[in-house]
């Protein structure tokens, strides 16, 4: 625990900490003794979580109401983190816009691109520079098993998740000489607001986050859970990208 805190503390940012996987990142990092900066739009939820965690652990928790789809998000994050030593950035916030690309408003697709790709990249750029100066730290991107496949009808969402996966794996290579560990955690269906209406079997957010944090510094790409690992291995080993699109498309049409 102390080793984790020494490497990735004293402060961790968790985006999307108002629900689902982000809440669990906050809980498990708090248990490891890191001070937290929780980011999302629903401030009431962040404040309730901050109260819970600072009551349970000897840590300080700050909450920032930030819309990661807005153009001024970086200034708000800078203001809220000024003077704090951020050793871990968890780029977890995300949205999923479903349906064929042309159906939802273009504005919704652009918002998703901003929240899922632009904001995590900008935050990684911002905090990697600070971590390089300290010669330690970590960055986690919440990607997805859909990062590995084209998925017709949620193709743009899957593409945003592929962005996180490839950026994380490349950054891990670039930054390893500076003792900074970057990881893409790739969950399959996981219990959260995003999957409330999905009837498939889901992993708990707790198990996903535990696997991510246990493997931080050792693995830059983590597929959560054995079933998901086997599924990704099998599909990418035996099928071409075109075939995967056909298989995915037919499954989505059912
Ligand atoms: N659940 C799954 O099956 C699954 C599988 C693979 C990957 N993922 C990924 O896991 C991550 C977390 O999702 P989740 O499953 O935990 O879903 P969730 O319960 O819907 O949580 C999404 C989080 O992102 C935040 N968020 C969304 N838009 C935002 C914006 N414009 N500005 C700031 N924060 C914003 C939400 O906060 P506010 O609404 O309060 O702003 C919320 O805290 C996402 O990146 C998702 O793509 C999920």
């Amino acid at each position: 625990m102390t080793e984790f805190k020494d490497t990735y503390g004293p402060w961790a940012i968790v985006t999307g900490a108002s629900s689902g996987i982000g809440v669990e990142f906050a809980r498990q990092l708090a248990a490891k003794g890191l001070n937290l900066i929780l980011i999302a739009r629903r401030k009431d939820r962040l404040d309730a979580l901050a109260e819970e965690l600072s009551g349970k652990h000897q840590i300080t928790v700050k909450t920032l109401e930030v819309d990661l789809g807005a153009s001024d998000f970086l200034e708000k994050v800078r203001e809220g983190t000024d003077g704090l030593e951020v050793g871990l950035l968890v780029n977890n916030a995300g949205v999923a816009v479903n349906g064929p690309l042309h159906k939802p408003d273009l504005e919704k697709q652009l918002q998703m691109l901003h929240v899922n790709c632009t904001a995590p990249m900008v935050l990684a750029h911002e905090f990697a520079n600070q971590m390089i100066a300290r010669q330690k730290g970590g960055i986690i991107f919440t990607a997805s098993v859909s990062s590995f496949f084209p998925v017709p009808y949620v193709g743009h969402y899957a593409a945003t998740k592929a962005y996180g996966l490839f950026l994380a794996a490349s950054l891990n290579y670039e930054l390893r000489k500076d003792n900074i560990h970057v990881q893409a955690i790739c969950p399959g269906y996981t219990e959260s607001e995003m999957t409330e209406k999905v009837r498939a079997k889901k992993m708990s957010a707790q198990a996903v986050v535990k696997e991510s944090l246990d493997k931080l510094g050792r693995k830059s790409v983590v597929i959560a859970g054995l079933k998901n690992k086997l599924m990704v291995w099998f599909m990418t080993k035996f099928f071409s990208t075109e075939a995967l699109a056909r298989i995915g498309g037919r499954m989505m049409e059912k």
Side-chain angles (χ1 to χ4, degrees), residues 148-245:
F148 296 91
F149 321 115
V151 191
Y153 306 112
V154 280
H156 185 209
Y157 171 73
T160 68
K161 294 285 113 179
Y163 179 97
L165 166 67
F166 283 90
L167 182 59
S170 306
L171 274 180
N172 186 61
Y173 188 89
E174 286 173 24
L175 295 174
R176 63 186 181 160
K177 64 180 181 317
D178 296 299
N179 199 28
I180 297 162
H181 310 136
V182 186
Q183 181 196 82
I185 173 72
C186 304
Y189 283 132
T190 304
E191 285 160 6
S192 76
E193 282 181 9
M194 193 179 271
T195 56
E196 259 168 8
K197 291 186 183 145
V198 175
R199 274 184 292 158
K201 196 163 164 24
K202 298 169 207 166
M203 265 182 87
S204 70
Q206 202 179 1
V208 170
V209 170
K210 183 173 185 319
E211 193 169 350
S212 164
L213 296 181
D214 284 352
K215 292 182 175 166
L216 185 60
R218 290 190 291 120
K219 278 196 75 71
S220 62
V221 176
V222 177
I223 300 168
L226 182 62
K227 268 192 188 167
N228 291 324
K229 283 183 194 56
L230 290 173
M231 188 267 290
V232 171
W233 174 81
F234 179 82
M235 299 299 277
T236 51
K237 182 163 175 69
F238 293 108
F239 296 97
S240 67
T241 306
E242 279 169 303
L244 287 170

Side-chain angles (χ1 to χ4, degrees), residues 96-104 109 112 145-160 189 235 240-254:
V97 176
N98 298 322
L101 181 77
H102 64 282
K103 282 274 171 72
Q109 301 286 11
M112 177 166 71
V145 294
S146 68
S147 305
F148 296 91
F149 321 115
V151 191
Y153 306 112
V154 280
H156 185 209
Y157 171 73
T160 68
Y189 283 132
M235 299 299 277
S240 67
T241 306
E242 279 169 303
L244 287 170
R246 276 197 300 278
I247 295 167
R250 284 182 194 138
M251 280 171 62
M252 296 299 286
E253 280 160 357
K254 276 188 188 161

Side-chain angles (χ1 to χ4, degrees), residues 16-22 39-42 66-69 92-95 111 115-116 142-145 157 161 187-195:
S18 61
S19 113
I21 297 170
I39 294 179
R41 291 165 301 179
R42 288 170 291 180
V66 178
D67 181 350
L68 293 168
N92 166 77
V95 281
Q111 275 292 307
V115 174
N116 293 9
T142 307
S144 168
V145 294
Y157 171 73
K161 294 285 113 179
Y189 283 132
T190 304
E191 285 160 6
S192 76
E193 282 181 9
M194 193 179 271
T195 56

Side-chain angles (χ1 to χ4, degrees), residues 10-25:
W11 287 86
I13 291 179
V14 181
T15 70
S18 61
S19 113
I21 297 170
V23 170
E24 201 45 50
F25 265 115

Side-chain angles (χ1 to χ4, degrees), residues 75-96:
E75 287 91 281
K76 287 194 173 166
V77 174
R78 275 185 179 151
E79 262 172 42
T81 58
D82 191 32
L84 304 180
E85 220 174 275
V86 175
L88 182 65
L89 165 66
V90 183
N91 268 324
N92 166 77
V95 281

